[in-house]
Amino acid sequence: MKVTLSKRLCLTAMLALSAVVYTATATAETSKLIIESGDSAQSKQNAAMDKEQWNDTRSLRQKVNTRAEKEWDKTDVAFDTRDKCEQSANLNAYWEPNTLRCLDRNTGRPIAP
């Protein structure tokens, strides 16, 4: 089979044309990417609701913090009182861990160490 110059040119032209068509269809498929800044109405509404809930629970958070502070102060005072009671010169003084008080062994009444 003889391949002539015109047949070669025709084949080359067909291959080139099909490559161009294939490339054109491949590059024609593009995707659109949209990046939002997050300032949509929904996100603003969610932020407003979160802020409102945070403000509504403020008094509860303050009460919890106040309670924790009171418990800490109570424990701190009891620790100091226990040290004073144990180092007391009064031989009848003893520390009651359940009530966190310094008591007299004879009477069971609280005493000042």
Side-chain angles (χ1 to χ4, degrees), residues 46-84:
N46 288 343
M49 288 172 45
D50 289 344
K51 184 177 180 183
E52 184 179 337
Q53 182 180 5
W54 178 260
N55 290 337
D56 288 345
T57 59
R58 176 178 301 217
S59 64
L60 180 61
R61 289 191 314 271
Q62 288 176 343
K63 287 179 184 178
V64 169
N65 290 340
T66 303
R67 169 66 94 187
E69 187 176 345
K70 284 181 182 178
E71 290 295 323
W72 171 261
D73 291 344
K74 184 177 174 182
T75 304
D76 191 38
V77 167
F79 185 79
D80 292 341
T81 307
R82 185 187 84 203
D83 283 346
K84 289 178 185 176

Side-chain angles (χ1 to χ4, degrees), residues 4-56:
T4 62
L5 183 61
S6 64
K7 286 183 180 178
R8 282 187 187 175
L9 287 176
C10 184
L11 281 172
T12 306
M14 286 177 59
L15 285 173
L17 183 60
S18 64
V20 168
V21 170
Y22 179 74
T23 311
T25 58
T27 57
E29 295 180 28
T30 59
S31 297
K32 185 186 252 187
L33 176 64
I34 299 173
I35 299 175
E36 293 183 13
S37 64
D39 291 338
S40 67
Q42 182 68 35
S43 64
K44 286 182 182 179
Q45 183 179 3
N46 288 343
M49 288 172 45
D50 289 344
K51 184 177 180 183
E52 184 179 337
Q53 182 180 5
W54 178 260
N55 290 337
D56 288 345

